[in-house]
Amino acid sequence: MGALVWDKVVHGHQGWRLFSCMWMHAGVLHLVANMLSLLFVGLRLEQQFGYVRIGAIYLISGVGGSVLSSLFIRSAISVGASGALFGLLGAMLAELLSNWTIYTNKVAAVTTLLFVIAVNLVLGILPHVNNFAHIGGFLTGFLLGFVLLMRPHFGWMERYRLPAGSPCTARKYLPYQWALMAAALALAVAG
């Protein structure tokens, strides 16, 4: 009915299953857990970056999770939005790293996010949980986060507080932001 089945994707030429499986769930509890995760993670990102960029990360990460899952799991059926949700977590981490100068409490932000990611990956070792979809979605979202969620540097944003006609010497993006974006884009295209 649209679940990710390796044999049907590869031999049956049903590549659409890489996309459709992330809209299906293995029961009400699975659906509720994914929707709560989407509410807590997706809402914050969507408020800051808009639904177009976050929607693109969600969809592409879901497909990335499905691709990695289909490469490693050949005997089981897989459904769920976990790859897409992990993509949002990966994008959150990339956003934190690429916009490092904006945050005031950097250690707390990184620690909290890494703890949430680690707990979810540990839960992935439970039976009937597709950790390959989690990892594939996370890596896809992580790379896309560097490309799509880069914010202007704080010094450049301060130009609005300068008196009219004053020149702004700050750059919009810092060199490390460009380097992270270029590396992530190259890895995403190569992957």
Side-chain angles (χ1 to χ4, degrees):
M1 293 178 56
L4 183 61
V5 181
W6 179 82
D7 188 51
K8 291 187 179 191
V9 171
V10 175
H11 296 107
H13 305 291
Q14 297 177 7
W16 53 269
R17 289 178 180 270
L18 295 170
F19 180 77
S20 65
C21 68
M22 70 178 155
W23 303 104
M24 304 178 77
H25 291 82
V28 175
L29 186 60
H30 187 217
L31 177 65
V32 169
N34 278 333
M35 291 305 104
L36 286 174
S37 298
L38 185 59
L39 180 67
F40 290 121
V41 175
L43 191 61
R44 177 194 166 272
L45 285 172
E46 187 178 335
Q47 287 173 343
Q48 291 182 353
F49 297 101
Y51 68 91
V52 173
R53 287 193 270 179
I54 300 308
I57 290 171
Y58 183 84
L59 293 174
I60 296 169
S61 295
V63 172
S66 296
V67 168
L68 191 68
S69 176
S70 65
L71 289 173
F72 288 99
I73 299 176
R74 297 185 178 193
S75 60
I77 295 173
S78 179
V79 294
S82 300
L85 291 170
F86 267 83
L88 293 180
L89 286 173
M92 240 179 170
L93 181 60
E95 187 270 330
L96 178 67
L97 295 174
S98 67
N99 302 316
W100 189 254
T101 59
I102 295 172
Y103 291 94
T104 54
N105 199 353
K106 298 166 176 60
V107 175
V110 169
T111 304
T112 303
L113 189 55
L114 289 177
F115 177 75
V116 168
I117 293 166
V119 166
N120 282 301
L121 284 174
V122 168
L123 290 174
I125 63 173
L126 293 172
H128 307 294
V129 176
N130 186 350
N131 221 10
F132 288 109
H134 295 172
I135 294 168
F138 180 82
L139 292 175
T140 305
F142 185 68
L143 294 175
L144 287 172
F146 286 116
V147 176
L148 296 176
L149 303 182
M150 197 165 67
R151 292 187 197 186
H153 178 54
F154 182 73
W156 185 78
M157 295 300 290
E158 286 294 306
R159 76 185 194 290
Y160 293 113
R161 295 187 182 179
L162 293 173
S166 298
C168 178
T169 58
R171 295 180 180 158
K172 185 173 184 178
Y173 298 109
L174 297 177
Y176 82 91
Q177 289 177 304
W178 286 112
L180 287 172
M181 185 181 80
L185 192 59
L187 285 172
V189 169

